[in-house]
Amino acid sequence: MAAAALIVLLLAVAAPAFHSQTASAAGTAEKETHIKVYWQDVYSGPSPTAVVVAQAATTNTSKTSFGMVVVIDDPLTDGPDLNSSRIVGRAQGTYIGSGKDSLALLMNMNFVFTAGKYNGSNVAIMGRNSIMDDVREMSVIGGTGVFRWARGYAQARTHTFDLKTGDATVEYNVFIRH
Ligand SMILES: *[C@@H]1O[C@H](CO)[C@@H](O)[C@H](O)[C@H]1NC(C)=O
Ligand SMILES: *[C@@H]1O[C@H](CO)[C@@H](O)[C@H](O)[C@H]1NC(C)=O
Ligand SMILES: *[C@@H]1O[C@H](CO)[C@@H](O)[C@H](O)[C@H]1NC(C)=O
């Protein structure tokens, strides 16, 4: 009687664990997705998508923008020209001047897809963006929707940068395993 009860108890405890193990072992095969978008940082005009919300009190940091905080809701387009390309999503988040003696931003943003097969899904990107380098690599640290469990990396290349206005178009190639 005691032995039977013990077996029932063991099964009750073991069964859920066993079940969840098989579920993850039989989980869907991992995919690798490459997404290329153009990130449109707009300071100029009547409807900027990048706003400076904080700056360091000292002007001794202006060369590297150290201490500057920018909030963005930048269009992500399928081509480099913002006017004639399709908007496939938004880059929402912040970037922070985080290099005291070098020009390096800390990017912290979600790529929020609003069109096509990724509509409704997000990819979270965080990393160092040394903007004068030809290629900057950042981490993909997560995702939602079709990008659940995402990890990977993003490579950014400046397409155009307007020194006068600060407007920039940057090509992002994002490689995601999910
Ligand atoms: C800026 O800081 C450096 C040290 O980091 C100092 O030598 C220099 O005098 C400062 N310049 C100004 C204008 O305060
Ligand atoms: C896009 O349109 C704006 C406003 O109409 C204009 O000022 C800008 O020069 C255009 N940009 C390009 C690359 O054509
Ligand atoms: C994206 O998804 C939303 C919510 O489901 C929907 O309202 C919208 O029409 C979709 N956009 C496109 C371009 O498919």
Side-chain angles (χ1 to χ4, degrees):
M1 193 64 187
L6 185 62
I7 286 168
V8 168
L9 182 67
L10 279 175
L11 280 175
V13 171
F18 179 70
H19 181 259
S20 70
Q21 258 175 11
T22 35
S24 68
T28 50
E30 197 171 62
K31 270 188 295 201
E32 187 163 323
T33 300
H34 170 212
I35 297 170
K36 178 177 165 178
V37 289
Y38 290 86
W39 179 95
Q40 310 280 357
D41 210 27
V42 182
Y43 283 91
S44 67
S47 184
T49 61
V51 288
V52 177
V53 297
Q55 250 160 352
T58 167
T59 55
N60 198 11
T61 58
S62 60
K63 262 191 202 135
T64 58
S65 299
F66 181 53
M68 179 183 68
V69 179
V70 179
V71 177
I72 59 168
D73 186 355
D74 287 344
L76 297 172
T77 55
D78 63 357
D81 183 357
L82 177 56
N83 292 347
S84 64
S85 301
R86 192 169 70 115
I87 293 177
V88 296
R90 319 282 308 185
Q92 298 179 335
T94 57
Y95 55 82
I96 300 171
S98 53
K100 188 174 82 65
D101 302 315
S102 63
L103 195 48
L105 305 176
L106 170 65
M107 310 297 289
N108 183 19
M109 59 188 173
N110 276 314
F111 278 15
V112 181
F113 294 99
T114 56
K117 58 180 167 175
Y118 309 128
N119 187 10
S121 300
N122 297 336
V123 172
I125 293 173
M126 189 183 204
R128 180 173 188 267
N129 186 0
S130 177
I131 61 173
M132 300 311 280
D133 290 354
D134 289 346
V135 184
R136 294 88 69 182
E137 192 162 302
M138 290 160 250
S139 308
V140 168
I141 59 170
T144 66
V146 302
F147 299 118
R148 283 177 184 170
W149 305 107
R151 63 197 197 288
Y153 62 96
Q155 289 182 328
R157 292 173 176 80
T158 302
H159 184 265
T160 51
F161 177 60
D162 186 326
L163 272 171
K164 243 187 288 171
T165 61
D167 291 356
T169 298
V170 179
E171 180 187 318
Y172 270 79
N173 283 280
V174 189
F175 300 89
I176 308 161
R177 287 195 184 154
H178 58 103

